[in-house]
Amino acid sequence: MTEGVSIMKDSQPKTIYLKDYQVPDYLVDATDLHFELEPKATLVKSRLNIRRNPQAGAGLPPLVLDGVELELLSVSLDGVLLSTSDYQVLPEGLSIPVEKPEFLLEIRNRINPEENTSLEGLYLSNGMYCTQCEAEGFRKITFYPDRPDVMSKFTTTIVAPMDHPVLLSNGNEVERGRYEDGRQFVTWEDPFAKPAYLFALVGGDLEHVEDSFTTASGRKVKLQIFTEAKNIGKCDHAMRSLKNAMRWDEETYGKEYDLDIFMIVAVDHFNMGAMENKGLNIFNSACVLASPETATDSAFQRIESIVGHEYFHNWSGNRVTCRDWFQLSLKEGFTVFRDAEFSADLNSRAVKRIEDVSLLRTTQFAEDAGPMAHPIRPDSYIEISNFYTLTIYEKGAEVVRMIHTLLGAEGFRKGSDLYFQQHDGCAVTCEDFVKAMEDANKVELKQFRNWYSQAGTPILDVTDSFNETDGTYSLTIRQSCPSSPGQEEKLPFHLPIRIGLLGADGAELVLNEQGDTETVLQLTEDEQSFEFSGLAEKPLPSLLRGFSAPVKIRYNYSNEQLQFLMRKDKDTFNRWDASQRLALNALCELQVAFRKGEELQVQPSLISAFKEVLEDVDLDLALVAEILQLPSEQFIAEESSSIDAEAIIVAREFVKKVIAGELFDEFRKRYLELNTTKPYSPNALDIAQRRLKNTCLSYICITETEEALDIAQVQFESASNMTDSAAALAVIINHAPEDRAGGLIEQFYERWKTDTQVVELWLGQQSCSPKRGTLENIRALMDHPAFEMKNPNKVRSVIGGFANRNFKQFHKSDGSGFEFVADQVLALDKLNPQISARLVIPITRWKKYSGSLGEKMKVALQRVADSGDLSKDLFEVVSKSLI
Ligand code: BES
Ligand code: ZN
């Protein structure tokens, strides 16, 4: 029996380096697995056809297998049982001397799914057996070379008692039967060689919905979604999304599905959103189950994009996989780019871009400026689970998007075709991806590769000038990038900057001889100037349209110019961005005024800009809704050189109150116009309408007047869909007095207490409340029967919601929020290290805070570090944050 790693002060966990990569010593041609499912003692038998890797050189080194928390029962080699002295048991594996270049290895071991609270390997969720093997979970199932460049053909037999009638694994079902003892067995065969991280097994008492999809070449694929019986009515949206994704990948990338069956299983206990196991995707229930009555618009959209994402991995991840985990962004960045385009094509492109950029600029930029900053292809890690980050995913997707922008849609498609064709069935690197893009387009992307090796968010400083005599306008762009851990100096990046120029009337000016009114500038130097001639007057630049590169751009716009862009820019993204800049300027001034003890005032021009947008009936509803959102506290914090949490809260609440008060009638009017009753449909137009309506509702309720709260309560009581009832509940929680709110919150729980997804939402809204989210309330929620520390969704709703989305209560000046998070992190680390290492992140950015708040945060973090015996996961994050 090997033990999990425990971190003592004298035994620091090992750092893994990309530069140390070596090809595997042995390959596994076939993997034959046999499971006998039992909650406390599942028996695993594996038969591995192993062969010396011809690329690994001469000689026969010992075979080293990974294995963690396994009870080893027996090992035999070519049919001969080995004695314990024939091999060596390592702290995290097994070393077996080898005498022949090819042999059959048979291993028997036992595992305990019931005790497995890490939700990695084989575990139980509500009595259902399920697996999660990415990144290194397969080693918690059996001894194996658990690395993505060892690809093998898997056959899996599952034996279980009849109370677990559904037994699933990857590929096609090839045999099933019953034993005399009443147990049944099912055998699955996956014809595609795959790394162990894509292995999956499910066993339970499940129901399913079924549909089919006929591929472009005419093959009929069976589609099934499995869930507990009570959720069977919540599978339709995911099924529709799956079929849309299959069609989209055929149309956009020319890629078809390759097995006869595709299965999705919903599980309640899951560390992530979903997992792309070959032919058997496993989903967090929250990311697959939905019905209009129980799921919000954003849940519907999240489900569509995640179903798409995991499906798209079948090519970008499974058919072509990663050589090692440093290449994670090869599959994740590319697949996030693919799912974003899928969502953009099916819904509102502009809204999708605004949402994605908001996420990037708040959370990824913060990560890139913090103690865990890393390039999208990291050079080293201690625990790979910590590197499923916003940088790998979101910045990685931006890097792929930049290639798309540089090559154009057609050039990008040529590149992806070549990439899939050259590397099908292989485990490859980010370098192989870029190379295919270069080769297919006969271009060179040498300098572009800096995006893969350098961390940090580049800053672009833009200045301009106009020569009246010859009508030449010149834009000068300087790039710089702050240092990050281990990287003091940065080389310049190659980045595409999409721009337009606006004339005094807002018209788009012609930029070149081809007559284009929009162009992509290619910045490669530290400083570079771009000239545009033949202009009658100095134009106003619209910079970085569509957010064409993941950078911070600085140009000294006046508030008037920002309002002009808000009204006139033809690029929807930049119209929204101008509104955010305008609000940010006001919020910054207010923070300064607050600190100086001056009277707070909102510029009338900001209010009139809001009024104009609110009353503009020609403007796309979705855009109106987005513009009316003030920048979040997190974004304001990210934009600050030093975070003054109290000033941010005061400034933002003040602006909100003033706008809500000044424009109360306008918000109410727009609310009433939009408050129509029509059957629910999660299409882009209806979603925009509900979003704007509920934005208006939340503004009118900021006034906390009876009139406003009555409107909210009517909506709460009469809503026919969860988007509207959740929006009403949120304003009631945040703005209604206790005597009104308390009963309604309880009423909502009573109505929905048997629905797991709704209860998660209910918990989350309360922990995010600036009013009710006080620590006492959060503690009460943790004692509520609806809470479960072993369920990551519940933890994310309550503790994660508090730390990440309740800016005000989390940053209370006494530091109680930080101490609370530290306590919970320590408790969780014993159950689920992946979750504790994520939950600690909000208290790792102490260096960016001004005043004593940063010091209090550091004290809480130090207490975590000093408590000893941390998991590898938590140790890495905490130790890197205290340097
Ligand atoms: N491969 C990941 C899931 C994963 C990551 C499992 C790390 C275990 C460890 C999957 O493809 C994924 O990226 N899922 C995302 C959702 C997606 C839409 C970005 C997730 O789970 O958050
Ligand atoms: Zn993914």
Side-chain angles (χ1 to χ4, degrees), residues 95 111 150 162 173 336 364 366 375 420 495 538 588 617 770 790:
S95 174
I111 48 180
V150 172
M162 279 312 288
E173 184 185 312
V336 171
Q364 196 280 323
F420 288 129
L495 38 88
K538 184 176 182 185
C588 287
V617 286
K790 287 183 184 168

Side-chain angles (χ1 to χ4, degrees), residues 132 134-135 272-276 306 309-310 313 331-332 336 339 388 393:
Q132 173 54 46
E134 188 179 3
M272 300 285 288
M275 177 64 208
E276 70 265 26
I306 303 191
H309 178 100
E310 306 312 336
H313 269 316
K331 75 176 177 80
E332 295 303 347
V336 171
D339 85 53
Y388 286 75
Y393 277 70

Side-chain angles (χ1 to χ4, degrees), residues 385-512:
S385 298
N386 287 330
F387 285 79
Y388 286 75
T389 59
L390 287 140
T391 299
I392 302 290
Y393 277 70
E394 305 302 323
K395 188 177 182 178
E398 293 299 322
V399 170
V400 175
R401 181 176 295 280
M402 285 190 285
I403 297 179
H404 188 276
T405 304
L406 290 168
L407 302 180
E410 241 174 78
F412 186 85
R413 172 64 194 272
K414 276 195 221 154
S416 70
D417 281 352
L418 184 62
Y419 168 72
F420 288 129
Q421 179 219 317
Q422 283 181 326
H423 303 298
D424 190 6
C426 300
V428 302
T429 61
C430 298
E431 173 56 28
D432 294 314
F433 181 80
V434 178
K435 188 79 173 43
M437 289 288 162
E438 285 182 327
D439 290 351
N441 289 278
K442 307 202 166 47
V443 295
E444 197 219 60
L445 294 169
K446 185 162 180 286
Q447 190 187 352
F448 187 84
R449 284 169 170 76
N450 291 341
W451 285 107
Y452 286 89
S453 55
Q454 296 186 150
T457 305
I459 297 168
L460 305 188
D461 284 295
V462 185
T463 53
D464 59 352
S465 64
F466 184 64
N467 185 331
E468 303 272 352
T469 40
D470 66 358
T472 303
Y473 175 68
S474 84
L475 268 177
T476 300
I477 311 180
R478 254 193 64 79
Q479 61 165 307
S480 59
C481 183
S483 60
S484 49
Q487 296 185 333
E488 279 305 314
E489 296 294 323
K490 308 286 166 92
L491 298 167
F493 292 92
H494 175 187
L495 38 88
I497 307 172
R498 189 183 296 280
I499 67 145
L501 299 179
L502 277 70
D505 57 354
E508 296 267 305
L509 303 182
V510 173
L511 305 176
N512 54 26

Side-chain angles (χ1 to χ4, degrees), residues 42 258 312 441 510 666:
T42 287
D258 52 11
F312 300 143
N441 289 278
V510 173
E666 290 83 354

